[in-house]
Amino acid sequence: MSVSPATTSSDIDAIIAQVDGCGYCVVPGAIPDSEAARARQILMELVEAEATDEARQAKTQRVGEIAVKHQIFRDLLCNPLVLAVWERYVGEDIFCSSWSANIAYPGFDSYGWHVDYPYWSTKPPWPLDYIAGQTIWMLDDFTADNGATGVVPYSHKFGRPPEAPTDQWRDDGVILEAPRGSIAFGHGAWYHSARPNRSDDFRCCLLGMYLKPCLIPQEDMQAQLARIDNPSVQVQKLMGANQHKPRSVGAR
């Protein structure tokens, strides 16, 4: 399912209606092609610099702490459409729980159905309220051949993790095929999985989860924020600068 790039409140409502209804929505053209291409170029430089033997053998690589590594990733973290959707859906005080890049090498074929944090850390049945939203920035065309994300429509309403076997394709699964520059919005509890990359090139994307501020982030975003020079107010907010810090009652 997809809609045109959102520019109005009604467009955002249409995205949210799809996320609420079937669990996800793909928006083509949400990132200018030149920006997506530039982000991919910078990401591939990081992939080359950080690649390990383990990553080469597994044919997949996760690049973390990307907000610290380049301004373009901080800009994409604050994408106006992404924030407009999740602030409407989850709440205006959202923050980012995890922000990284995922790369499928040619020949990647290890995958499995799963849900992301915070749902895998929570005993089912999961709350039906809107507590988290997952986001995929597609820096390449996503196709059935290059490892595009597979999803299970309506799975966000199941309230439990995927049942075994999780390493087999499901009859109710669909593949998110979309052009470079698209953004996929997913309910935090959706079932999803990478797919095999049978192409001759890397498949690159960025992954960001946005949470309610009462939840514990998956990554230590505040530690990453401390390493960024002159972060914008928006970056500070999304990386947890305003999040409540625990203290002992009565402590001075």
Side-chain angles (χ1 to χ4, degrees):
M1 297 184 178
S2 64
V3 298
S4 299
T7 55
T8 68
S9 179
S10 60
D11 292 326
I12 295 170
D13 287 341
I15 294 172
I16 291 173
Q18 287 201 18
V19 173
D20 198 34
C22 72
Y24 66 94
C25 180
V26 179
V27 181
I31 310 169
D33 188 74
S34 58
E35 185 177 17
R38 176 61 175 153
R40 189 189 193 278
Q41 176 186 357
I42 294 167
L43 176 60
M44 288 307 300
E45 293 172 358
L46 294 172
V47 168
E48 182 176 357
E50 299 179 12
T52 63
D53 290 340
E54 182 181 9
R56 296 186 186 96
Q57 183 175 0
K59 298 186 183 300
T60 182
Q61 186 171 342
R62 183 63 65 94
V63 178
E65 300 186 336
I66 57 175
V68 178
K69 294 173 180 176
H70 201 281
Q71 178 65 46
I72 196 168
F73 300 122
R74 297 193 286 275
D75 293 341
L76 289 168
L77 173 70
C78 300
N79 178 277
L81 172 60
V82 171
L83 297 188
V85 169
W86 293 134
E87 284 178 354
R88 182 87 63 86
Y89 195 80
V90 181
E92 293 185 358
D93 51 358
I94 56 167
F95 73 109
C96 188
S97 170
S98 60
W99 180 226
S100 64
N102 182 273
I103 299 90
Y105 288 39
F108 169 77
D109 64 358
S110 178
Y111 54 91
W113 295 106
H114 65 282
V115 295
D116 290 325
Y117 180 87
Y119 288 93
W120 55 251
S121 69
T122 305
K123 183 178 179 180
W126 295 328
L128 297 178
D129 194 15
Y130 315 128
I131 64 172
Q134 180 61 285
T135 322
I136 303 174
W137 288 252
M138 301 179 187
L139 303 185
D140 287 306
D141 293 342
F142 266 41
T143 71
D145 290 330
N146 75 351
T149 302
V151 302
V152 176
Y154 309 103
S155 56
H156 66 300
K157 299 182 179 181
F158 295 169
R160 63 183 187 277
E163 296 179 355
T166 58
D167 60 349
Q168 297 179 13
W169 182 251
R170 297 172 55 119
D171 292 339
D172 55 352
V174 299
I175 297 175
L176 299 185
E177 295 188 88
R180 178 174 70 181
S182 301
I183 290 180
F185 296 89
H187 188 286
W190 66 340
Y191 294 5
H192 60 286
S193 172
R195 299 295 297 148
N197 184 358
R198 300 188 179 94
S199 74
D200 296 326
D201 201 357
F202 296 83
R203 191 275 294 139
C204 302
C205 68
L206 308 178
L207 304 174
M209 179 71 85
Y210 295 80
L211 300 182
K212 285 185 174 294
C214 59
L215 299 171
I216 300 171
Q218 183 176 1
E219 297 182 53
D220 189 346
M221 303 301 286
Q222 293 182 3
Q224 294 180 43
L225 177 62
R227 296 163 55 195
I228 298 173
D229 293 331
N230 300 316
S232 69
V233 173
Q234 192 69 269
V235 167
Q236 291 180 57
K237 171 196 169 184
L238 292 175
M239 298 187 72
N242 301 327
Q243 190 184 20
H244 173 75
K245 295 179 176 62
R247 63 181 180 86
S248 297
V249 174
R252 297 181 179 178

